[in-house]
Amino acid sequence: MSSRPSIALALSGGAARGLAHVGVLRALLEHKIPIDYVAGTSAGAIVGGGLAAGMSIDEIEDLGRSLRWRHIGRLTISSRGILSNKRFEHFLRARLPRTRFEELLIPFAAVATDLNTGEAVIMRDKGDVALAIRASCTIPGWYVPVADSEGHQLVDGGLVAVIPATCARAFGADFVISVDVNSDGATFFGSSTRSLFGVILQSMLVAQRTASAKQIAASDYVITPKVSHIRWDQIRRADELIEAGYKAGNESAPAIRALIWPKSGTSG
């Protein structure tokens, strides 16, 4: 194999839309695009963590297809959230072949947010993978914050880095491929500015794009699956989401290979 840059994959948050990451990943692997590092936020941490732990793409897809909201949270008595997502940690621990960062086959990082300071908390290198993924997926106000061993109150990493490109770059990667399942927008509601909900949703998307600009700039290539017609809560539309990711990955792979192997685009 000819020499190539080291490659990191940055998988965005996006709730149910994160299932598109599975399709993208399958396409990249079929095109023999190597992945040396992986970083994930929220839903991206689930897929990225599975890859790093040694799950096959079929096993990751099965995990995604089997996941339901009932596997993630249950009602709890707390002033800090409606649900506890502790059961999600158990769900992951039962399925991941490796649950310690020290044992992973690919270096992996999960991004969460320190609720008290508003700063990013990057979990990597050592510790509990299932806890890290759970923390990265903890929607504030909906799920009770997750306490880590250092006393941080952790919530969803999407608040600080919905696309974890800078986190992926921090591994020392030469080339960062980011997958963004949010910036395609939201067409499922019709015209986005003809109702109060539409205005709020569109404003949130604009704010998210602005916040993601730094992460996009830190990426060498960004894959954006066409999922604007699917809501973030529609976890049962796994087939469409995975297919959209697979299509986007296949369309992007030749350009990525040409950047990695600029002389021919066919090495590897």
Side-chain angles (χ1 to χ4, degrees):
M1 187 194 318
S2 62
S3 61
R4 62 166 177 83
S6 57
I7 301 167
L9 187 63
L11 303 177
S12 77
R17 285 186 178 185
L19 286 162
H21 291 314
V22 179
V24 172
L25 182 58
R26 182 180 291 279
L28 295 181
L29 295 177
E30 287 181 355
H31 284 272
K32 301 188 186 308
I33 294 172
I35 299 167
D36 302 300
Y37 311 100
V38 61
T41 295
S42 196
I46 302 172
V47 177
L51 175 68
M55 296 179 75
S56 70
I57 186 60
D58 287 338
E59 289 172 330
I60 296 172
E61 182 169 331
D62 287 344
L63 184 152
R65 289 183 183 279
S66 67
L67 185 61
R68 295 290 181 267
W69 292 114
R70 67 177 181 273
H71 296 138
I72 298 176
R74 63 179 176 182
L75 287 171
T76 187
I77 300 174
S78 174
S79 60
R80 298 181 300 154
I82 298 170
L83 305 173
S84 165
N85 64 354
K86 179 69 175 177
R87 66 168 49 179
F88 184 46
E89 185 178 331
H90 297 313
F91 176 89
L92 292 168
R93 203 178 304 284
R95 288 161 177 80
L96 294 173
R98 295 167 182 82
T99 58
R100 299 290 301 177
F101 279 92
E102 300 92 327
E103 301 169 350
L104 298 178
L105 302 185
I106 299 173
F108 166 65
V111 183
T113 303
D114 186 319
L115 185 60
N116 294 320
T117 67
E119 296 179 350
V121 175
I122 311 301
M123 295 163 284
R124 50 172 281 187
D125 300 331
K126 63 180 182 179
D128 188 335
V129 175
L131 177 70
I133 296 173
R134 172 193 167 200
S136 186
C137 296
T138 302
I139 302 169
W142 188 247
Y143 297 118
V144 176
V146 175
D148 69 4
S149 60
E150 298 180 8
H152 298 114
Q153 295 295 308
L154 303 178
V155 293
D156 199 302
L159 295 176
V160 289
V162 70
I163 307 169
T166 55
C167 179
R169 182 76 71 187
F171 277 114
D174 301 310
F175 193 93
V176 175
I177 302 168
S178 291
V179 185
D180 179 5
V181 300
N182 298 299
S183 65
D184 190 45
T187 60
F188 53 81
F189 197 68
S191 175
S192 61
T193 57
R194 293 184 180 177
S195 69
L196 176 59
F197 176 77
V199 169
I200 293 171
L201 177 60
Q202 186 65 17
S203 299
M204 291 172 61
L205 289 171
V206 169
Q208 187 179 76
R209 290 191 190 102
T210 301
S212 297
K214 178 182 177 182
Q215 302 295 332
I216 294 295
S219 309
D220 295 289
Y221 195 96
V222 181
I223 301 173
T224 305
K226 302 301 180 184
V227 292
S228 65
H229 59 295
I230 299 176
R231 297 198 315 264
W232 286 269
D233 64 321
Q234 292 182 306
I235 200 168
R236 290 184 180 273
R237 296 180 71 173
D239 288 344
E240 295 171 75
L241 288 161
I242 293 171
E243 180 57 33
Y246 186 68
K247 184 174 187 293
N250 272 324
E251 290 173 349
S252 300
I256 294 171
R257 289 183 61 87
L259 290 168
I260 296 169
W261 292 288
K263 290 185 178 180
S264 66
T266 58
S267 297

